[in-house]
Amino acid sequence: MLNRLVPQQNNAPFAVPPVAFICALIGAPLVVALFGFFILLISVFALYFGGPLYLIFAGPTFYWYLKRRVPNLLEITLLALALNTIAFVLLLTLVSLKPNMFNLNDILVLYGGFGSLMSAIWGATFCALYRSFRQAPT
């Protein structure tokens, strides 16, 4: 199913440099938090709430994407939004199974609202960092 959604480009699979990938994956939320620090500390709190989910979902998915396609800013940003939607639905399912464990309003605001915004920004930053690290001279 996913192979039809994201078809391989010519000359695929592409080599994904591990250092560039890991530095961009971990560096994207940190760079956004560093530059967005003065905007009500939202990006810093997003590291705490969304960082683990970002690493769990985006790491393998971005690696899978980069093995198949040349990095495109719009595609990676939309992929990050789709991953946030999947994580949000999983969290809502968890809330419905254990209603006393989480507050539904908190989940809706944190992961549905701010999470969508931050996932798009983190995805775009990941793409920009990955492109620059991959093209850096060794």
Side-chain angles (χ1 to χ4, degrees):
M1 171 79 181
L2 287 176
N3 291 335
R4 284 187 244 149
L5 291 174
V6 183
Q8 287 187 350
Q9 289 181 335
N10 295 336
N11 302 325
F14 299 109
V16 178
V19 173
F21 177 76
I22 292 171
C23 288
L25 185 69
I26 295 173
L30 295 175
V31 167
V32 171
L34 179 69
F35 288 116
F37 178 74
F38 299 106
I39 305 173
L40 300 174
L41 297 174
I42 291 172
S43 58
V44 176
F45 288 119
L47 279 175
Y48 175 74
F49 289 108
L53 289 175
Y54 167 78
L55 291 176
I56 290 169
F57 285 101
T61 308
F62 286 169
Y63 184 79
W64 172 80
Y65 171 84
L66 291 172
K67 289 291 282 184
R68 303 177 62 79
R69 314 260 313 157
V70 174
N72 183 340
L73 184 70
L74 180 62
E75 289 178 358
I76 290 180
T77 303
L78 291 176
L79 185 61
L81 277 171
L83 290 172
N84 182 66
T85 304
I86 292 169
F88 179 62
V89 168
L90 289 174
L91 285 172
L92 286 179
T93 305
L94 182 66
V95 167
S96 69
L97 293 175
K98 293 273 191 176
N100 297 331
M101 189 171 172
F102 298 106
N103 186 359
L104 181 61
N105 292 334
D106 293 342
I107 297 293
L108 289 173
V109 170
L110 288 176
Y111 293 100
F114 291 122
S116 297
L117 175 68
M118 296 310 292
S119 68
I121 294 171
W122 286 354
T125 307
F126 167 81
C127 184
L129 288 175
Y130 178 75
R131 283 185 195 169
S132 66
F133 291 153
R134 189 184 62 173
Q135 294 173 357
T138 56

